[in-house]
Amino acid sequence: MSGFKHLSVNELIHMSDASNDVQVVDIRDAASFAAGHIQHSVNLSNENLAHFIASADMDKPLVVVCYHGISSQNAANYLSEQGFDDVYSLDGGFSAWSLAHS
């Protein structure tokens, strides 16, 4: 059983509007992140993963974003195993987010 849930773009918009406590991590490469990302998201990589885990609030909802919503599932499961309580993978990834905001 996976330790994360799936989240649609509309659900993320609603969750973000309802609370400022949502943490969003983007696991795409740094160049893609620099070209565009969800506001207030953090670019998460192998280089800053340990620091993020050590400093993040494990009780706040955590949404993982990748390109198309595939890689984020493995990352979300991993972060759930590290102790985050409420972890989501964004269905459709940043591609779906961009389409919804264009």
Side-chain angles (χ1 to χ4, degrees):
M1 184 173 136
S2 64
F4 70 92
K5 296 167 242 158
H6 291 271
L7 190 71
S8 72
V9 169
N10 287 337
E11 289 170 323
L12 175 56
I13 292 168
H14 177 71
M15 183 186 284
S16 297
D17 288 345
S19 169
N20 289 332
D21 287 343
V22 178
Q23 304 171 97
V24 179
V25 293
D26 189 324
I27 62 168
R28 296 175 303 139
D29 65 90
S32 296
F33 183 82
H37 57 271
I38 297 172
Q39 188 175 9
H40 304 298
S41 62
V42 173
N43 191 212
L44 194 59
S45 67
N46 288 335
E47 289 76 32
N48 66 355
L49 178 61
H51 175 72
F52 174 78
I53 291 171
S55 62
D57 187 337
M58 300 265 186
D59 297 324
K60 288 184 180 180
L62 176 66
V63 179
V64 183
V65 179
C66 66
Y67 293 98
H68 304 291
I70 306 300
S71 301
S72 59
Q73 294 178 48
N74 287 333
N77 195 53
Y78 175 79
L79 290 165
S80 176
E81 290 171 352
Q82 302 312 302
F84 287 90
D85 290 333
D86 197 14
V87 183
Y88 301 87
S89 172
L90 183 64
D91 290 339
F94 186 74
S95 295
W97 178 268
S98 330
L99 283 174
H101 289 85
S102 58

